[in-house]
Amino acid sequence: MADHEIRVLDESNFRAAHTLFRGALHSGPATDERWEQIKASYDPGRAFGAFQGDEMVGTAQSWPALLAVPGGAEVPAAAVSRVGVRADWTRRGVLSALMRRQFQSCREAGEVVSVLRASEAVIYGRFGYGVASRGRQLKVDRHRVALAPSDGTGGRIRLVDLDTATAVAPEVYAKAGLSRPGMTSRWPAWWLMNLDRGLRYDNARMAVHSGADGDDGFVVYVVKGGMEEPHGKSVLTVEDLVATTPEVWAELWRFVFRVDVVDEVIGELRPLDEPLEWLVADRRVVKVTDVEDETWLRLLDVPAALAARRYAAAEPVVLQVRDRYLPDNDGSYRITPDGVERTTAAADLVLDVDLLAATYLGDVSFTELAQAGRVDVVDGAALARADALFATGRAPWSGTYF
Ligand SMILES: CC(C)(COP(=O)(O)OP(=O)(O)OC[C@H]1O[C@@H](n2cnc3c(N)ncnc32)[C@H](O)[C@@H]1OP(=O)(O)O)[C@@H](O)C(=O)NCCC(=O)NCCS
């Protein structure tokens, strides 16, 4: 019998859960002032604690969101976060128990998928999460930036205060829409914990672009170093950049490169196919310094997830999916451009559910996975068919860190 039990948390223990989570990541507890802001971000019924008696030893929670999938549908998703187990309780199955309980409750809530950002890449694969989108880190020597010729947008960019930022950003985000696979809706607490916190406490700035139809894009950035540290490098980090059109996207980046007293511009977890190199005259000023996993995706309901996305024109393929944690997902699925059905037909390719998640938004091909020995190939010709069916036009990307 387990030496701990999982319970749903309520207001009386949200703060203890938050302190436990921060402690697991080696941070101190939130101050009273910060807690006033943070407590609103705990959704009743969605946070769990692992307890031995009255003592909490682990926690995990999630927010309800929507995930854009290939073809444009938006599926109910659990955005999982604040996962932590006390250092003196790790490797005793606490996270495993929390995950099982969370899967059950998300499925009861009708959530088709779950998404998270992982502190370490070795944690979540065993629970059926796969890396479904990645981002690249960019570093640009601002002094060497010469912008490629452009007519601009004819719009205007203005720096805004916290109140305006709080009003404008969610509206612009909604206007821009979940325009590529992997994007998620942003829940109220996300804005609070990111935009509000950044502008209020972390010296972040927000610049809003407006055109003929009003506000249509914004960038949030923070500058560190420079004047505060004599002889130090002044580094501008783009934290968030949302645009309703490609022209506005380009204009916001041009704005970023024009901010004075900046030596270096950094973009974290930017889309793999963001064409920043084409915005500048000398493409070598845009250095890709890292490529990291972004979205870890768990298909909670495989039939519903497979049915929600669209497939490109290609001959059908039969995928056999293995799911150790949620065995009712186990089985074979015949995938065609017209849809998906469970089948008893012989499988062409056999793979675990975390690897299906990795292919789901288009981040990796079946051929690549097979090359690495991660897919059992029954029929070699099926790899090209599966790649073609799952192909998407754009690199998947979320852009929402939580
Ligand atoms: C990650 C963490 C939550 C794991 O909790 P845990 O209770 O130790 O996990 P479990 O005991 O249920 O582990 C299940 C399996 O995953 C493995 N595992 C879990 N976390 C691991 C890690 N960080 N590195 C390597 N293996 C890990 C365990 O060895 C175990 O393997 P087994 O099934 O083969 O025995 C915990 O280590 C932690 O709080 N870390 C610091 C905070 C953090 O990183 N949180 C995640 C934020 S995204």
Side-chain angles (χ1 to χ4, degrees):
M1 196 180 135
D3 50 5
H4 57 270
E5 63 167 346
I6 307 300
R7 295 184 209 146
V8 181
L9 301 181
D10 61 30
E11 275 169 26
S12 68
N13 37 32
F14 287 161
R15 190 166 186 175
H18 194 256
T19 301
L20 193 160
F21 161 67
R22 285 179 61 89
L25 286 171
H26 316 302
S27 294
T31 60
D32 288 348
E33 184 194 358
R34 292 295 274 267
W35 176 247
E36 280 310 304
Q37 191 184 41
I38 294 164
K39 69 180 181 192
S41 68
Y42 274 85
D43 265 354
R46 297 196 67 105
F48 297 99
F51 288 84
Q52 189 193 42
D54 288 337
E55 208 180 353
M56 198 188 311
V57 297
T59 184
Q61 62 127 75
S62 66
W63 292 284
L66 293 170
L67 173 79
V69 304
E74 296 170 9
V75 301
V80 170
S81 184
R82 294 177 179 157
V83 175
V85 172
R86 239 172 51 183
D88 55 345
W89 267 78
T90 53
R91 310 302 179 266
R92 293 160 70 165
V94 173
L95 177 62
S96 307
L98 283 163
M99 282 278 138
R100 266 196 208 92
R101 180 62 182 271
Q102 195 174 50
F103 286 163
Q104 181 197 342
S105 108
C106 292
R107 287 194 348 157
E108 282 165 11
E111 281 150 8
V112 173
V113 299
S114 158
V115 286
L116 57 75
R117 310 284 176 260
S119 60
E120 294 186 280
V122 288
I123 301 172
Y124 293 103
R126 76 191 68 239
F127 302 118
Y129 284 88
V131 175
S133 74
R134 291 168 295 147
R136 57 181 196 160
Q137 190 187 48
L138 307 171
K139 198 176 269 189
V140 181
D141 178 350
R142 197 186 75 91
H143 302 299
R144 288 181 55 215
V145 170
L147 293 167
S150 144
D151 294 337
T153 58
R156 180 174 163 250
I157 291 183
R158 68 192 197 282
L159 284 170
V160 297
D161 62 16
L162 177 61
D163 286 346
T164 310
T166 308
V168 166
E171 272 177 28
V172 172
Y173 192 75
K175 214 190 228 182
L178 307 184
S179 58
R180 64 160 92 209
M183 291 187 77
T184 59
S185 58
R186 292 176 174 180
W187 46 98
W190 187 91
W191 292 108
L192 193 67
M193 300 305 299
N194 292 274
L195 183 68
D196 188 290
R197 178 158 74 182
L199 268 64
R200 196 185 290 271
Y201 300 109
D202 298 336
N203 203 28
R205 301 285 153 87
M206 177 164 142
V208 179
H209 181 278
S210 37
D213 297 327
D215 297 333
D216 52 14
F218 66 83
V219 57
V220 179
Y221 64 92
V222 64
V223 181
K224 294 218 163 99
M227 301 299 278
E228 291 162 12
E229 296 165 30
H231 315 299
K233 214 194 252 179
S234 176
V235 179
L236 183 156
T237 301
V238 172
E239 310 244 301
D240 197 11
L241 191 148
V242 175
T244 52
T245 66
E247 292 75 19
V248 174
W249 165 83
E251 194 65 9
L252 287 166
W253 271 110
R254 281 192 284 266
F255 169 80
V256 164
F257 291 134
R258 282 196 298 259
V259 175
D260 287 328
V261 198
V262 169
D263 300 307
E264 193 169 84
V265 172
I266 286 184
E268 308 264 17
L269 280 177
R270 301 299 307 164
L272 295 187
D273 58 0
E274 183 173 41
L276 206 59
E277 290 88 338
W278 298 96
L279 209 58
V280 294
D282 175 357
R283 59 182 299 117
R284 292 190 186 171
V285 305
V286 179
K287 300 267 182 236
V288 179
T289 50
D290 205 357
V291 175
E292 286 180 11
D293 44 85
E294 188 201 37
T295 303
W296 287 74
L297 173 70
R298 205 324 165 174
L299 306 179
L300 296 170
D301 181 338
V302 168
L306 287 176
R309 62 154 289 175
R310 296 280 77 85
Y311 300 91
E315 292 298 311
V317 71
V318 175
L319 300 181
Q320 185 189 331
V321 180
R322 294 180 295 230
D323 191 340
R324 200 158 62 91
Y325 263 80
L326 298 171
D328 52 348
N329 285 326
D330 267 339
S332 292
Y333 300 87
R334 183 169 184 273
I335 300 180
T336 77
D338 300 323
V340 177
E341 59 186 12
R342 273 192 189 262
T343 180
T344 52
D348 298 316
L349 305 171
V350 184
L351 75 176
D352 290 332
V353 72
D354 57 320
L355 298 166
L356 181 65
T359 64
Y360 181 74
L361 298 174
D363 185 64
V364 68
S365 70
F366 290 86
T367 299
E368 287 169 278
L369 291 177
Q371 185 176 343
R374 303 298 296 273
V375 171
D376 294 342
V377 181
V378 181
D379 171 7
L383 286 173
R385 301 204 304 274
D387 289 350
L389 283 161
F390 278 71
T392 57
R394 302 180 77 186
W397 181 69
S398 164
T400 298
Y401 197 89
F402 54 91

